[in-house]
């Protein structure tokens, strides 16, 4: 299982070739991805998001496990 942070997903969504290549290879190797609810909130609060951007982000996050953030 791979835990991903906000910057990694921003690079992926922006089409960064290196990050896209690595994440695609991990997906092909059937790696599972997990992101925290904090990452979800950060991505969805980026400035100037269009409805299409929100749809892409939600679609991407829908393929990953979502982990709540708590004090534990």
């Amino acid at each position: 299982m791979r835990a991903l942070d906000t910057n990694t997903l921003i690079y992926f969504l922006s089409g960064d070739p290196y990050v896209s290549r690595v994440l695609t290879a991990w997906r092909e190797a059937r790696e599972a991805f997990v992101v925290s609810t904090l990452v979800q909130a950060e991505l969805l609060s980026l400035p100037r998001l269009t409805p299409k951007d929100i749809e892409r982000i939600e679609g991407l996050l829908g393929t990953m496990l979502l982990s709540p953030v708590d004090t534990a």
Side-chain angles (χ1 to χ4, degrees):
M1 183 174 302
R2 304 277 181 167
L4 303 176
D5 70 359
T6 306
N7 287 336
T8 301
L9 295 178
I10 289 172
Y11 294 142
F12 178 77
L13 290 164
S14 298
D16 180 279
Y18 175 75
V19 173
S20 296
R21 199 169 42 253
V22 170
L23 290 184
T24 298
W26 287 344
R27 281 179 185 249
E28 289 172 355
R30 299 184 189 231
E31 292 276 352
F33 298 109
V34 62
V35 295
S36 72
T37 51
L38 181 58
V39 169
Q40 177 187 38
E42 288 174 339
L43 288 173
L44 292 171
S45 66
L46 291 170
R48 296 178 293 281
L49 287 178
T50 66
K52 184 178 178 182
D53 294 332
I54 294 169
E55 185 177 322
R56 283 186 67 218
I57 291 167
E58 289 176 342
L60 178 62
L61 293 175
T63 67
M64 301 176 181
L65 300 171
L66 192 59
S67 176
V69 176
D70 59 26
T71 58

